[in-house]
Amino acid sequence: MVRIAPSILAADVALIEQAVEQAAAAGADLIHVDIMDGHFVPNLSLGPELVAAVRKRTALPLDVHLMVRKPSLFIPLFSEAGADWISIHLEASSHLHRDISLIKGFGKKAGLVLNPATPLAGMEDILPELDYVLLMSVNPGFGGQSFIPATHDRIRRLKEWIRSLKLDVLVEVDGGVNLDNAAALAKDGVDILVAGCSIFGTPDPVATIKRMREAANP
Ligand code: DX5
Ligand code: ZN
């Protein structure tokens, strides 16, 4: 079953509560929350207060994607704010094993994120420690960008690699995911689809989430 993780970055920031309710009403599996520090990516987004506020309003797991230069500073803050899943960028962490262990030490699911041009091979020695890998299908920092087609092949190669090692690591994809590519991504073997603008930019986000789930789970 492919899971759907609506990205609330794409919702009107004054209406985030509504976006969370829509995600829950549509049967979303996770709420994806994008954290940007203005250094690792050229944009600022939400902070731990927002995550804590969302935490109070939903029982859905919060999937916090840290686009920050110093993940070790932020893992404790977002853990305490109520994140359930926390992912950090391979390109940002200089002590990957320590940072992944830190996330797990808080009892959270630990994910590693790779930008579109970062070779999969770079995670060879950390892969068995991970709960999930998030493959970026756009260059991170902004919602509403176009899906990079080479991601299809990256998903297939990563899934094959995980299978060959008999690991239990999920694969998530983020950026430019929509109703047109959801079925193909499911065929590639992806486990979790993150989608922002293609959900919250439509007049009926609840219906869109349901359609995306159907497209990904024929
Ligand atoms: C991009 C973020 C994404 C973003 C996805 O840097 O990591 O999660 O919200 O937005 P869409 O689906 O609009 O590309
Ligand atoms: Zn994201």
Side-chain angles (χ1 to χ4, degrees):
M1 188 82 183
V2 179
R3 303 178 212 191
I4 311 293
S7 172
I8 55 172
L9 180 71
D12 183 331
V13 79
L15 298 174
I16 281 198
E17 183 171 16
Q18 187 189 80
V20 171
E21 281 164 8
Q22 288 168 334
D29 300 281
L30 299 158
I31 304 270
H32 186 83
V33 189
D34 287 307
I35 309 300
M36 305 178 183
D37 69 348
H39 294 275
F40 181 68
V41 289
N43 201 1
L44 284 166
S45 67
L46 319 165
E49 292 82 4
L50 197 283
V51 170
V54 171
R55 173 73 295 153
K56 285 191 205 138
R57 285 162 178 80
T58 184
L60 284 176
L62 302 182
D63 168 29
V64 173
H65 172 193
L66 293 181
M67 285 164 271
V68 301
R69 196 178 269 172
K70 293 189 174 163
S72 59
L73 293 182
F74 293 100
I75 291 164
L77 291 180
F78 285 97
S79 292
E80 280 151 25
D84 300 283
W85 299 35
I86 298 182
S87 58
I88 60 172
H89 273 258
L90 175 63
E91 305 84 5
S93 170
S94 31
H95 300 287
L96 249 189
H97 189 277
R98 182 187 292 159
D99 289 342
I100 292 295
S101 305
L102 185 59
I103 297 172
K104 289 174 148 184
F106 281 103
K108 314 297 182 180
K109 286 204 185 297
L112 187 62
V113 194
L114 271 65
N115 281 337
T118 300
L120 300 182
M123 59 183 160
E124 178 162 5
D125 293 315
I126 194 75
L127 191 59
E129 308 295 327
L130 303 175
D131 293 303
Y132 62 108
V133 174
L134 171 46
L135 292 181
M136 290 307 304
S137 37
V138 297
N139 290 294
F142 305 92
Q145 303 181 77
S146 299
F147 182 88
I148 297 171
T151 312
H152 287 294
D153 185 54
R154 282 165 65 77
I155 294 169
R156 290 193 289 260
R157 281 188 284 130
L158 176 56
K159 286 295 291 190
E160 185 48 43
W161 190 16
I162 291 169
R163 252 193 301 270
S164 70
L165 295 174
K166 298 190 169 53
L167 295 174
D168 192 14
V169 180
L170 298 173
V171 176
E172 181 173 26
V173 65
D174 182 9
V177 173
N178 55 42
L179 289 175
D180 295 329
N181 56 25
L185 289 164
K187 263 201 180 144
D188 294 331
V190 81
D191 299 292
I192 305 156
L193 295 173
V194 175
C197 292
S198 69
I199 289 175
F200 294 109
T202 60
D204 188 348
V206 174
T208 309
I209 294 168
K210 289 182 179 167
R211 285 180 63 198
M212 190 171 286
R213 173 192 290 289
E214 284 162 16
N217 296 285

PDB file of all heavy atoms in Angstrom, residues 7 9-10 32 34 36 41 65 67 136 138-145 174-177 194-198, ligand 1:
ATOM      1  N   SER A   7       1.959  17.660   2.032  1.00  0.00           N
ATOM      2  CA  SER A   7       2.951  18.602   2.557  1.00  0.00           C
ATOM      3  C   SER A   7       2.263  19.924   2.864  1.00  0.00           C
ATOM      4  O   SER A   7       1.826  20.642   1.959  1.00  0.00           O
ATOM      5  CB  SER A   7       4.053  18.823   1.517  1.00  0.00           C
ATOM      6  OG  SER A   7       4.898  19.866   1.941  1.00  0.00           O
ATOM      7  N   LEU A   9       3.359  22.677   3.753  1.00  0.00           N
ATOM      8  CA  LEU A   9       4.033  23.894   3.280  1.00  0.00           C
ATOM      9  C   LEU A   9       3.219  24.565   2.167  1.00  0.00           C
ATOM     10  O   LEU A   9       3.258  25.778   1.993  1.00  0.00           O
ATOM     11  CB  LEU A   9       5.423  23.534   2.747  1.00  0.00           C
ATOM     12  CG  LEU A   9       6.295  24.657   2.207  1.00  0.00           C
ATOM     13  CD1 LEU A   9       6.785  25.530   3.356  1.00  0.00           C
ATOM     14  CD2 LEU A   9       7.502  24.105   1.444  1.00  0.00           C
ATOM     15  N   ALA A  10       2.508  23.748   1.408  1.00  0.00           N
ATOM     16  CA  ALA A  10       1.776  24.260   0.256  1.00  0.00           C
ATOM     17  C   ALA A  10       0.430  24.868   0.640  1.00  0.00           C
ATOM     18  O   ALA A  10      -0.228  25.499  -0.183  1.00  0.00           O
ATOM     19  CB  ALA A  10       1.550  23.132  -0.747  1.00  0.00           C
ATOM     20  N   HIS A  32       3.401  15.730   6.113  1.00  0.00           N
ATOM     21  CA  HIS A  32       4.793  16.096   5.825  1.00  0.00           C
ATOM     22  C   HIS A  32       5.000  17.571   6.183  1.00  0.00           C
ATOM     23  O   HIS A  32       4.249  18.437   5.738  1.00  0.00           O
ATOM     24  CB  HIS A  32       5.063  15.852   4.339  1.00  0.00           C
ATOM     25  CG  HIS A  32       6.485  16.057   3.919  1.00  0.00           C
ATOM     26  ND1 HIS A  32       7.450  15.088   4.061  1.00  0.00           N
ATOM     27  CD2 HIS A  32       7.105  17.123   3.354  1.00  0.00           C
ATOM     28  CE1 HIS A  32       8.604  15.548   3.597  1.00  0.00           C
ATOM     29  NE2 HIS A  32       8.425  16.784   3.169  1.00  0.00           N
ATOM     30  N   ASP A  34       7.818  20.643   6.219  1.00  0.00           N
ATOM     31  CA  ASP A  34       9.114  21.083   5.684  1.00  0.00           C
ATOM     32  C   ASP A  34       9.726  22.162   6.555  1.00  0.00           C
ATOM     33  O   ASP A  34       9.130  23.217   6.756  1.00  0.00           O
ATOM     34  CB  ASP A  34       8.912  21.634   4.269  1.00  0.00           C
ATOM     35  CG  ASP A  34       8.645  20.530   3.281  1.00  0.00           C
ATOM     36  OD1 ASP A  34       9.442  19.581   3.234  1.00  0.00           O
ATOM     37  OD2 ASP A  34       7.618  20.605   2.580  1.00  0.00           O
ATOM     38  N   MET A  36      12.918  24.685   6.850  1.00  0.00           N
ATOM     39  CA  MET A  36      14.007  25.292   6.067  1.00  0.00           C
ATOM     40  C   MET A  36      14.669  26.379   6.887  1.00  0.00           C
ATOM     41  O   MET A  36      13.979  27.206   7.497  1.00  0.00           O
ATOM     42  CB  MET A  36      13.429  25.915   4.795  1.00  0.00           C
ATOM     43  CG  MET A  36      12.616  24.946   3.960  1.00  0.00           C
ATOM     44  SD  MET A  36      11.941  25.783   2.526  1.00  0.00           S
ATOM     45  CE  MET A  36      10.994  24.441   1.797  1.00  0.00           C
ATOM     46  N   VAL A  41      19.012  25.621   2.456  1.00  0.00           N
ATOM     47  CA  VAL A  41      18.190  25.976   1.291  1.00  0.00           C
ATOM     48  C   VAL A  41      17.892  27.475   1.357  1.00  0.00           C
ATOM     49  O   VAL A  41      17.852  28.042   2.452  1.00  0.00           O
ATOM     50  CB  VAL A  41      16.855  25.172   1.243  1.00  0.00           C
ATOM     51  CG1 VAL A  41      17.109  23.717   0.908  1.00  0.00           C
ATOM     52  CG2 VAL A  41      16.085  25.296   2.547  1.00  0.00           C
ATOM     53  N   HIS A  65      10.747  16.999   7.724  1.00  0.00           N
ATOM     54  CA  HIS A  65      11.847  16.991   6.752  1.00  0.00           C
ATOM     55  C   HIS A  65      12.732  18.202   7.051  1.00  0.00           C
ATOM     56  O   HIS A  65      12.349  19.338   6.787  1.00  0.00           O
ATOM     57  CB  HIS A  65      11.219  17.056   5.344  1.00  0.00           C
ATOM     58  CG  HIS A  65      12.184  17.248   4.227  1.00  0.00           C
ATOM     59  ND1 HIS A  65      11.781  17.577   2.949  1.00  0.00           N
ATOM     60  CD2 HIS A  65      13.537  17.155   4.170  1.00  0.00           C
ATOM     61  CE1 HIS A  65      12.832  17.672   2.155  1.00  0.00           C
ATOM     62  NE2 HIS A  65      13.917  17.446   2.874  1.00  0.00           N
ATOM     63  N   MET A  67      15.448  20.546   6.296  1.00  0.00           N
ATOM     64  CA  MET A  67      16.359  21.114   5.281  1.00  0.00           C
ATOM     65  C   MET A  67      17.190  22.172   5.986  1.00  0.00           C
ATOM     66  O   MET A  67      16.968  23.373   5.822  1.00  0.00           O
ATOM     67  CB  MET A  67      15.539  21.706   4.134  1.00  0.00           C
ATOM     68  CG  MET A  67      14.943  20.657   3.215  1.00  0.00           C
ATOM     69  SD  MET A  67      13.638  21.325   2.165  1.00  0.00           S
ATOM     70  CE  MET A  67      12.243  21.071   3.249  1.00  0.00           C
ATOM     71  N   MET A 136      14.734  13.271  -3.030  1.00  0.00           N
ATOM     72  CA  MET A 136      14.184  14.527  -3.548  1.00  0.00           C
ATOM     73  C   MET A 136      14.032  14.408  -5.062  1.00  0.00           C
ATOM     74  O   MET A 136      14.963  14.000  -5.763  1.00  0.00           O
ATOM     75  CB  MET A 136      15.120  15.704  -3.235  1.00  0.00           C
ATOM     76  CG  MET A 136      15.212  16.114  -1.781  1.00  0.00           C
ATOM     77  SD  MET A 136      13.642  16.447  -0.955  1.00  0.00           S
ATOM     78  CE  MET A 136      12.913  17.712  -2.002  1.00  0.00           C
ATOM     79  N   VAL A 138      12.933  17.176  -6.691  1.00  0.00           N
ATOM     80  CA  VAL A 138      13.202  18.572  -7.102  1.00  0.00           C
ATOM     81  C   VAL A 138      14.392  19.011  -6.245  1.00  0.00           C
ATOM     82  O   VAL A 138      14.731  18.337  -5.262  1.00  0.00           O
ATOM     83  CB  VAL A 138      12.003  19.526  -6.820  1.00  0.00           C
ATOM     84  CG1 VAL A 138      10.773  19.125  -7.611  1.00  0.00           C
ATOM     85  CG2 VAL A 138      11.685  19.610  -5.323  1.00  0.00           C
ATOM     86  N   ASN A 139      14.989  20.130  -6.598  1.00  0.00           N
ATOM     87  CA  ASN A 139      16.004  20.694  -5.710  1.00  0.00           C
ATOM     88  C   ASN A 139      15.271  21.377  -4.563  1.00  0.00           C
ATOM     89  O   ASN A 139      14.371  22.191  -4.790  1.00  0.00           O
ATOM     90  CB  ASN A 139      16.898  21.664  -6.483  1.00  0.00           C
ATOM     91  CG  ASN A 139      17.777  20.906  -7.467  1.00  0.00           C
ATOM     92  OD1 ASN A 139      18.646  20.134  -7.063  1.00  0.00           O
ATOM     93  ND2 ASN A 139      17.509  21.072  -8.751  1.00  0.00           N
ATOM     94  N   PRO A 140      15.621  21.032  -3.315  1.00  0.00           N
ATOM     95  CA  PRO A 140      14.784  21.450  -2.192  1.00  0.00           C
ATOM     96  C   PRO A 140      14.802  22.962  -1.945  1.00  0.00           C
ATOM     97  O   PRO A 140      15.730  23.653  -2.328  1.00  0.00           O
ATOM     98  CB  PRO A 140      15.409  20.710  -1.011  1.00  0.00           C
ATOM     99  CG  PRO A 140      16.820  20.469  -1.393  1.00  0.00           C
ATOM    100  CD  PRO A 140      16.804  20.279  -2.878  1.00  0.00           C
ATOM    101  N   GLY A 141      13.746  23.422  -1.310  1.00  0.00           N
ATOM    102  CA  GLY A 141      13.667  24.831  -0.927  1.00  0.00           C
ATOM    103  C   GLY A 141      12.328  25.461  -1.256  1.00  0.00           C
ATOM    104  O   GLY A 141      11.919  26.415  -0.599  1.00  0.00           O
ATOM    105  N   PHE A 142      11.651  24.925  -2.247  1.00  0.00           N
ATOM    106  CA  PHE A 142      10.403  25.540  -2.689  1.00  0.00           C
ATOM    107  C   PHE A 142       9.402  24.478  -3.119  1.00  0.00           C
ATOM    108  O   PHE A 142       9.795  23.476  -3.715  1.00  0.00           O
ATOM    109  CB  PHE A 142      10.663  26.482  -3.879  1.00  0.00           C
ATOM    110  CG  PHE A 142      11.702  27.530  -3.577  1.00  0.00           C
ATOM    111  CD1 PHE A 142      13.041  27.294  -3.868  1.00  0.00           C
ATOM    112  CD2 PHE A 142      11.344  28.720  -2.955  1.00  0.00           C
ATOM    113  CE1 PHE A 142      14.013  28.237  -3.561  1.00  0.00           C
ATOM    114  CE2 PHE A 142      12.317  29.668  -2.638  1.00  0.00           C
ATOM    115  CZ  PHE A 142      13.655  29.434  -2.935  1.00  0.00           C
ATOM    116  N   GLY A 143       8.144  24.743  -2.829  1.00  0.00           N
ATOM    117  CA  GLY A 143       7.091  23.894  -3.358  1.00  0.00           C
ATOM    118  C   GLY A 143       6.792  24.315  -4.795  1.00  0.00           C
ATOM    119  O   GLY A 143       7.283  25.347  -5.276  1.00  0.00           O
ATOM    120  N   GLY A 144       6.016  23.508  -5.477  1.00  0.00           N
ATOM    121  CA  GLY A 144       5.520  23.896  -6.794  1.00  0.00           C
ATOM    122  C   GLY A 144       6.512  23.765  -7.941  1.00  0.00           C
ATOM    123  O   GLY A 144       6.290  24.327  -9.010  1.00  0.00           O
ATOM    124  N   GLN A 145       7.606  23.032  -7.770  1.00  0.00           N
ATOM    125  CA  GLN A 145       8.555  22.845  -8.871  1.00  0.00           C
ATOM    126  C   GLN A 145       8.202  21.582  -9.665  1.00  0.00           C
ATOM    127  O   GLN A 145       7.428  20.741  -9.216  1.00  0.00           O
ATOM    128  CB  GLN A 145       9.982  22.692  -8.310  1.00  0.00           C
ATOM    129  CG  GLN A 145      10.442  23.860  -7.446  1.00  0.00           C
ATOM    130  CD  GLN A 145      11.873  23.629  -6.957  1.00  0.00           C
ATOM    131  OE1 GLN A 145      12.826  23.799  -7.708  1.00  0.00           O
ATOM    132  NE2 GLN A 145      12.007  23.225  -5.698  1.00  0.00           N
ATOM    133  N   ASP A 174       9.704  13.141  -2.869  1.00  0.00           N
ATOM    134  CA  ASP A 174       9.225  14.478  -2.495  1.00  0.00           C
ATOM    135  C   ASP A 174       9.608  15.507  -3.550  1.00  0.00           C
ATOM    136  O   ASP A 174      10.790  15.709  -3.819  1.00  0.00           O
ATOM    137  CB  ASP A 174       9.871  14.830  -1.133  1.00  0.00           C
ATOM    138  CG  ASP A 174       9.444  16.169  -0.573  1.00  0.00           C
ATOM    139  OD1 ASP A 174       8.510  16.789  -1.119  1.00  0.00           O
ATOM    140  OD2 ASP A 174      10.058  16.592   0.431  1.00  0.00           O
ATOM    141  N   GLY A 175       8.586  16.168  -4.097  1.00  0.00           N
ATOM    142  CA  GLY A 175       8.810  17.262  -5.035  1.00  0.00           C
ATOM    143  C   GLY A 175       8.166  17.004  -6.390  1.00  0.00           C
ATOM    144  O   GLY A 175       8.524  16.054  -7.083  1.00  0.00           O
ATOM    145  N   GLY A 176       7.183  17.824  -6.734  1.00  0.00           N
ATOM    146  CA  GLY A 176       6.555  17.703  -8.044  1.00  0.00           C
ATOM    147  C   GLY A 176       5.717  16.458  -8.233  1.00  0.00           C
ATOM    148  O   GLY A 176       5.425  16.065  -9.370  1.00  0.00           O
ATOM    149  N   VAL A 177       5.315  15.832  -7.131  1.00  0.00           N
ATOM    150  CA  VAL A 177       4.460  14.636  -7.227  1.00  0.00           C
ATOM    151  C   VAL A 177       3.018  15.104  -7.462  1.00  0.00           C
ATOM    152  O   VAL A 177       2.552  16.052  -6.816  1.00  0.00           O
ATOM    153  CB  VAL A 177       4.563  13.787  -5.936  1.00  0.00           C
ATOM    154  CG1 VAL A 177       3.557  12.639  -5.959  1.00  0.00           C
ATOM    155  CG2 VAL A 177       5.994  13.269  -5.767  1.00  0.00           C
ATOM    156  N   VAL A 194       5.019  12.216  -1.169  1.00  0.00           N
ATOM    157  CA  VAL A 194       4.789  13.534  -0.573  1.00  0.00           C
ATOM    158  C   VAL A 194       4.238  14.427  -1.675  1.00  0.00           C
ATOM    159  O   VAL A 194       4.759  14.421  -2.787  1.00  0.00           O
ATOM    160  CB  VAL A 194       6.119  14.139  -0.054  1.00  0.00           C
ATOM    161  CG1 VAL A 194       5.897  15.561   0.456  1.00  0.00           C
ATOM    162  CG2 VAL A 194       6.724  13.262   1.030  1.00  0.00           C
ATOM    163  N   ALA A 195       3.190  15.177  -1.374  1.00  0.00           N
ATOM    164  CA  ALA A 195       2.670  16.101  -2.390  1.00  0.00           C
ATOM    165  C   ALA A 195       2.132  17.351  -1.715  1.00  0.00           C
ATOM    166  O   ALA A 195       1.396  17.271  -0.728  1.00  0.00           O
ATOM    167  CB  ALA A 195       1.584  15.419  -3.217  1.00  0.00           C
ATOM    168  N   GLY A 196       2.511  18.498  -2.260  1.00  0.00           N
ATOM    169  CA  GLY A 196       2.083  19.782  -1.688  1.00  0.00           C
ATOM    170  C   GLY A 196       1.122  20.510  -2.589  1.00  0.00           C
ATOM    171  O   GLY A 196      -0.098  20.431  -2.438  1.00  0.00           O
ATOM    172  N   CYS A 197       1.675  21.221  -3.584  1.00  0.00           N
ATOM    173  CA  CYS A 197       0.839  22.065  -4.452  1.00  0.00           C
ATOM    174  C   CYS A 197      -0.210  21.273  -5.208  1.00  0.00           C
ATOM    175  O   CYS A 197      -1.316  21.766  -5.437  1.00  0.00           O
ATOM    176  CB  CYS A 197       1.720  22.816  -5.448  1.00  0.00           C
ATOM    177  SG  CYS A 197       2.739  24.037  -4.628  1.00  0.00           S
ATOM    178  N   SER A 198       0.126  20.044  -5.605  1.00  0.00           N
ATOM    179  CA  SER A 198      -0.838  19.269  -6.388  1.00  0.00           C
ATOM    180  C   SER A 198      -2.028  18.828  -5.535  1.00  0.00           C
ATOM    181  O   SER A 198      -3.026  18.350  -6.061  1.00  0.00           O
ATOM    182  CB  SER A 198      -0.166  18.054  -7.031  1.00  0.00           C
ATOM    183  OG  SER A 198       0.195  17.115  -6.041  1.00  0.00           O
TER     184      SER A 198
HETATM  185  C1  DX5 B   1      10.565  21.061  -1.212  1.00  0.00           C
HETATM  186  C2  DX5 B   1       9.877  20.378  -0.065  1.00  0.00           C
HETATM  187  C3  DX5 B   1       8.661  19.640  -0.473  1.00  0.00           C
HETATM  188  C4  DX5 B   1       7.574  20.502  -1.023  1.00  0.00           C
HETATM  189  C5  DX5 B   1       6.831  19.688  -2.030  1.00  0.00           C
HETATM  190  O1  DX5 B   1      11.757  21.588  -0.799  1.00  0.00           O
HETATM  191  O2  DX5 B   1      10.741  19.444   0.546  1.00  0.00           O
HETATM  192  O3  DX5 B   1       8.163  18.836   0.576  1.00  0.00           O
HETATM  193  O4  DX5 B   1       6.670  20.973  -0.051  1.00  0.00           O
HETATM  194  O5  DX5 B   1       5.988  20.534  -2.686  1.00  0.00           O
HETATM  195  P1  DX5 B   1       5.389  20.191  -4.108  1.00  0.00           P
HETATM  196  O6  DX5 B   1       4.651  18.906  -3.956  1.00  0.00           O
HETATM  197  O7  DX5 B   1       4.526  21.354  -4.383  1.00  0.00           O
HETATM  198  O8  DX5 B   1       6.541  20.050  -5.072  1.00  0.00           O
END
